[in-house]
Amino acid sequence: MTEQTTLAPRIAELSDVGRSAVNHGLALASGGNLSARLDDGTFVVTGSGTWLDRLTPDDFSVMTLGGEVVSGPSPSSEWKLHQRAYQERSDVNAVVHVHPQHAVLLDALGHSVRLITLDHAYYVRSVGTTPYYPNGSDELADSAAEQAREHNCIIMGNHGCSALGDTVQMAYRRALNLEEAATATYRALLLGDTTTTMPADAFAALHHA
């Protein structure tokens, strides 16, 4: 691996997120992938077939934004999903791609994820969606990048979600809140409620301690 000063800390952060994501049911085995931008403009991404709760430093690839592997194993087949997000958004420094059950289920059934609580509204803000495209495809990466122009959380049809952030922690926090919002929406639907959400006039004044 390279000697970049930001590489080891980013790998440690991503490894922690991987373990937590599996523990929270956001990913199973090798489902999902994680990345972070490095100081020199490259990015580090989980390797092909890696289990998110068993990540070691040898499980990460370093890539250029042009798609070349600088070091490490073969990258995840979803590396384009991360690459396109960084190309589209200079403010994004981390991408968490996981497979949250409730968010994907609601989208597949034609229901929007409703942001009901302060945390949902503050961290997620809005949710973009894409149709189903094969994993690893240009269509999937490009459609998600298009949604990333306006949203930090994107649900990809019949697949999973990507959460973007200026830090690894923020990207993961958004992924957690997206799935919690989806779970709350699912429960509201079971109770027969189809409208409850955060009051629209509250969005303008959102802040968090």
Side-chain angles (χ1 to χ4, degrees):
M1 303 297 281
T2 74
E3 295 299 320
Q4 299 169 75
T5 57
T6 56
L7 180 56
R10 293 297 86 80
I11 284 177
E13 289 178 299
L14 294 171
S15 297
D16 286 343
V17 164
R19 285 189 291 272
S20 181
V22 172
N23 288 338
H24 281 86
L26 298 182
L28 294 174
S30 59
N33 30 81
L34 315 169
S35 73
R37 197 194 296 262
L38 301 175
D39 286 348
D40 64 357
T42 61
F43 66 99
V44 58
V45 61
T46 46
S48 176
T50 53
W51 289 41
L52 294 191
D53 58 344
R54 304 178 186 179
L55 294 169
T56 72
D58 291 334
D59 292 323
F60 290 86
S61 304
V62 175
M63 302 187 68
T64 69
L65 288 182
E68 298 177 356
V69 176
V70 176
S71 63
S74 296
S76 165
S77 62
E78 298 283 21
W79 65 266
K80 293 177 184 178
L81 191 66
H82 301 260
Q83 173 208 35
R84 303 294 203 279
Y86 296 131
Q87 290 176 331
E88 190 65 45
R89 295 269 301 274
S90 61
D91 61 317
V92 168
N93 294 315
V95 177
V96 170
H97 170 58
V98 286
H99 299 165
Q101 296 180 35
H102 290 91
V104 174
L105 175 62
L106 288 179
D107 181 70
L109 295 175
H111 295 288
S112 297
V113 174
R114 287 183 265 156
L115 309 180
I116 296 174
T117 73
L118 168 62
D119 280 353
H120 302 161
Y122 182 80
Y123 290 110
V124 177
R125 292 282 177 161
S126 62
V127 182
T129 62
T130 78
Y132 171 78
Y133 292 110
N135 61 301
S137 66
D138 287 310
E139 292 87 352
L140 178 63
D142 290 340
S143 62
E146 182 178 356
Q147 290 297 305
R149 295 172 187 168
E150 297 183 19
H151 309 284
N152 288 317
C153 292
I154 302 106
I155 300 172
M156 289 156 281
N158 306 96
H159 182 164
C161 81
S162 280
L164 318 178
D166 59 342
T167 65
V168 172
Q169 291 82 1
M170 180 55 76
Y172 183 47
R173 184 173 290 207
R174 285 177 172 145
L176 287 169
N177 275 278
L178 174 64
E179 177 61 358
E180 186 178 88
T183 302
T185 302
Y186 175 80
R187 290 170 175 166
L189 289 169
L190 290 179
L191 293 171
D193 178 274
T194 61
T195 59
T196 298
T197 188
M198 190 77 175
D201 58 0
F203 270 85
L206 280 175
H207 66 278
H208 208 285

